[in-house]
Amino acid sequence: MGSSEVSIIPGLQKEEKVAVERRRLHVLKALKKLHIEADEAPVVAVLGSGGGLRAHIACLGVLSEMKEQGLLDAVTYLAGVSGSTWAISSLYTNDGDMEALEADLRHRFSRQEWDLAKSLQKTIQAARSENYSLTDFWAYMVISKQTRELPESHLSNMKKPVEEGTLPYPIFAAIDNDLQPSWQEAKAQETWFEFTPHHAGFPALGAYVSITHFGSKFKKGRLVRTHPERDLSFLRGLWGSALGNAEVNRNYIFDQLRNLLTLRGDVWRRTVANAKYIGRRIFAPLLRLQQSLQRERPVLEDEGGEPNYNWLTEMLENWTRTSLEKQEQPDEDPESKGSVSDFLDFVRKTSICASKWEWGTTHNFLYKHGGIRDKTMSSRRHLHLVDAGLAINTPFPLVLPPTREVHLILSFDFSAGDPFETIRATTDYCRRHKIPFPHVEEAKLDLWSKAPASCYILKGETGPVVMHFPLFNTDACGDDIEAWSDTYDTFKLADTYTLDVVRPLLALAKMNVRENKKKILREMRNAAMKDHWDKMRLKSCGKHFLSSTRTEMGSSLVRIWGIS
């Protein structure tokens, strides 16, 4: 278990410092194998952008090839947004075994089915929580279907390899959706939220809580009620909650809700205890729920401005069309995960969350905290955390703070659209907050975006060097970039992803790493040399400062005390 107190400490958390220091030893060994001599290990960060399943599969390809080429062992930080977080978290649940990870990917996409009953069980169970939101539904009913997996492990389970330094330190990005107005107006740094195997919190505030207590209830900086640590399935849903715009997401959710009442009998038996005559027991309460929502609750409106409860109406119509054989299932073991009342409560809560469009609800661990001056942060009882891609579709803001001392950033962009939009957005963010970041003229970015190459090296007078790798590029795709983008559209459902679709994408991502290995090694070598000379200059400045200080102190003592 982690600390039961809120930590407000500028700079890195103690656990991260120790883990990164241990990682340095492994990085130095890896650099030596790559024929790069270094006294000090440069800090290299690999970033993965969002992009749904496309990003998930491509990021796996990048990690796999970096491991194959000996490059991943020289990386200190791995950070991701949205679909890339699914790939990065999989690296740790497989203990860094890329062969096992690829075998698992092939297994998942060689079959079309997913375990609907188990996903529904998890969703119904989550609906018992006071902080249930659409993120729970999205995680267990949509993302689990997209990725065809339902991991039950936790972020804290990743501590061992991270603390031993055998794997890079992972950072998973989200944003505080309640601060979206501040982000739109001023690109507020406080908007960004991060998760690691040790902590969760706001890096701009230096405010964190132990990852094992994320979701628990705090007041005035103290733990007042413990909740179980959220599993990776939920967190993946939170990190990847923006596969599309609101309309696309709404359709995903409502499609799942519409289909719930046409489930096969075996799914009902695995999900609901004592399911006999379930049709007669559910239909009337659902009808009352529809009437209640129409009468009392705020509603989503369709394009014509009319209340939109079509999905619930269709649920009821589907149910009336379902055969008696499906509706009236035999009794099932009462020790099953849910009950009829649990199911109804789940539908009710999901309906209310959909009507309010409520996502990512969790207890605010900064509630009533006296050490936080900003009342916007400490007055709210709840946070609403969502996909960081709604701000910037790659996690630059989490690795750019000087406390992480990153020298080289490998930015893998899995966007289907303009692969330089993340560079534009990050440039604007850094300009507003005076953060060193390579500046590229807008005209040059426009030119690059028309026919992107596989690698761009961006350098500024200060700050880290950025290597930017567009997934779909002319070097690998030739003139067919648009065709590749259409094939791997962000909004494309998992049903269309077969092995024949997955393999080319995986191969493309690997090729982008392999073909740019020499460039990556060159920049790693430059970073190692720069880090060495920077430390030499600091040491030299320190000696000069001490010498000057001693001389000035000596002169002062003579003047004041007559000491010679």
Side-chain angles (χ1 to χ4, degrees), residues 143-156:
I143 299 302
S144 69
K145 184 178 182 180
Q146 288 286 87
T147 60
R148 300 175 195 176
E149 58 181 341
L150 198 65
E152 297 184 8
S153 58
H154 303 91
L155 260 184
S156 61

Side-chain angles (χ1 to χ4, degrees), residues 477-548:
C477 306
D479 297 328
D480 296 327
I481 290 179
E482 188 174 345
W484 278 87
S485 297
D486 290 344
T487 300
Y488 298 100
D489 187 83
T490 305
F491 310 145
K492 197 177 285 288
L493 291 173
D495 298 345
T496 64
Y497 274 80
T498 63
L499 272 182
D500 290 337
V501 176
V502 169
R503 285 195 185 104
L505 183 59
L506 200 65
L508 176 69
K510 289 182 176 185
M511 185 173 71
N512 285 345
V513 173
R514 190 166 57 251
E515 294 299 312
N516 288 292
K517 180 182 178 181
K518 288 183 179 179
K519 293 178 182 178
I520 295 172
L521 287 175
R522 186 182 68 216
E523 293 307 323
M524 282 185 171
R525 187 174 288 109
N526 291 342
M529 292 174 60
K530 184 176 185 298
D531 185 43
H532 170 75
W533 288 113
D534 284 348
K535 283 183 166 58
M536 290 292 289
R537 277 195 293 271
L538 282 173
K539 190 178 291 185
S540 174
C541 290
K543 287 180 178 178
H544 176 72
F545 173 76
L546 286 173
S547 175
S548 301

Side-chain angles (χ1 to χ4, degrees), residues 125-229:
Q125 185 178 3
R128 297 170 187 163
S129 166
E130 61 182 299
N131 288 335
Y132 177 79
S133 72
L134 291 180
T135 301
D136 296 271
F137 185 94
W138 187 257
Y140 298 120
M141 296 296 292
V142 178
I143 299 302
S144 69
K145 184 178 182 180
Q146 288 286 87
T147 60
R148 300 175 195 176
E149 58 181 341
L150 198 65
E152 297 184 8
S153 58
H154 303 91
L155 260 184
S156 61
N157 297 144
M158 300 180 187
K159 285 181 181 178
K160 188 173 185 292
V162 167
E163 290 174 349
E164 291 174 349
T166 56
L167 288 176
Y169 198 84
I171 306 169
F172 304 92
I175 59 169
D176 185 341
N177 200 41
D178 295 334
L179 301 183
Q180 274 281 27
S182 299
W183 174 260
Q184 296 298 330
E185 181 181 344
K187 307 302 177 193
Q189 292 175 287
E190 294 81 4
T191 308
W192 284 79
F193 194 94
E194 70 179 26
F195 295 82
T196 79
H198 294 107
H199 63 254
F202 296 95
L205 300 175
Y208 299 98
V209 68
S210 166
I211 192 63
T212 55
H213 289 316
F214 170 73
S216 292
K217 193 171 185 177
F218 286 79
K219 188 175 182 180
K220 297 182 179 179
R222 301 289 298 177
L223 180 67
V224 296
R225 189 192 307 158
T226 302
H227 292 287
E229 182 181 355

Side-chain angles (χ1 to χ4, degrees), residues 85 248 378:
T85 65
V248 171
S378 60

